[in-house]
Amino acid sequence: MTPTPNPHVAALAPYALADLSAPPGKRQVSLAQNESALAPSPAAIEAARAALAGVRLYPDPDWRDLRAAIAGVHGVDAGGILCGSGSMELILALALAYLGPGRRALTTAHGYLFFRAAARLAGAEIDLAPETELTVDVEALLAAVRTETRIVFVANPGNPTGTRIGRAELLRLRDGLPGNVLLVIDEAYGEFADAPGESMFDLAGQGGTVLLRTFSKVYGLAGMRVGWGLFPPEIAGQLRKVLNPNNISAAAQAAAAAAMRDQPYMARTRAETAARRDRFAARMRALGLAAPESRTNFVLLRFPSAEAARDADAVLRAEGVLMRATGGYGLDDCLRATVGSERDMRLAGDILADWIEGRTPA
Ligand SMILES: *Cc1c(COP(=O)(O)O)cnc(C)c1O
């Protein structure tokens, strides 16, 4: 007799992280995980270092200083904020609290894969609504809602598409959903897309909507594992029961709070990242590749065929440049390129330019 897992766990494939193997002797250039190209604010590192003096004690289970920092910057009620060990923890907690056998989640065709993993971990099924031109299609989502649907997950901007829908579209989605369906708007790249009058934080005040953000992207703290969200009180109460009560280390809480308070630094990272992204995307389009307009720190490159995308990936990989293959997202003709250093973007661009010129008969 051997121990047997729950059937729904046994049926799961391992979560597919990026393949980060570079050939021996090549400098590894990871453009595969949407980490920030730039270091976090020096204030964040300093705060983490200072917090180490107190690690004999458990961290603050209420994340008080971190929540105060977030509330101050975003003008939201600190009482509605919950923090997670990355926003992935919050996504999983939402799935565990609101999904289960007999219930269904819904997301979009090219939506973030962890939504699917979380739903299945909770023992639920997941439905996929088509997108239109690599962009969330609200009508298609509403048409795909079933009586068993309990959560709709939308990443906005999307990963791996990088595209974004506006506030009016999201309001139309919320208005069209039944009241018993929780709408989770994952704004992991929200800082890159924040526009005046477009904030969605007010929706959490209406009861059935959750907004998620993270310190892993523009704040450059992916290794610290801190995410946060704005939750209606009833949902926050349920989630608290699911979350690990000591989920974020003291050093990570301190780093995130300091990073949040250093908004000028965040704004510089955002601007520099966007400039590199737009230069790289323009170069790729000039080479004849399609790339939807990105509102994030990555660019989705669309090749003429799945075979071409595979070839390009192999050519890049042979030089140590690792992009993310997106076949798991239903986009086997694409590669997702995270914005890295200027040098790395030039290298990636040069490799693809040589490859395309070599393939194209003169
Ligand atoms: C990167 C990412 C996250 C976040 O991750 P954490 O590091 O767990 O905060 C969440 N959602 C999307 C869509 C992402 O791309």
Side-chain angles (χ1 to χ4, degrees), residues 33-34 84-89 91 112 114-115 155-159 186-189 213-217 221-222 225-228 298 336:
Q33 300 208 100
N34 295 350
S85 174
S87 51
M88 292 173 88
E89 188 193 21
I91 293 166
Y112 184 45
F114 192 67
F115 299 150
N156 194 48
N159 172 14
D186 179 350
E187 300 185 328
Y189 306 94
R213 292 215 170 190
T214 181
F215 286 90
S216 297
K217 307 287 159 59
L221 290 170
R225 312 305 305 129
V226 190
W228 63 277
F298 59 84
R336 190 192 68 194

Side-chain angles (χ1 to χ4, degrees), residues 15-46:
Y15 190 74
L17 288 168
D19 175 2
L20 295 180
S21 51
K26 292 286 177 189
R27 181 174 70 96
Q28 178 184 295
V29 175
S30 173
L31 306 179
Q33 300 208 100
N34 295 350
E35 293 140 333
S36 179
L38 296 153
S41 159
I45 303 297
E46 195 38 55

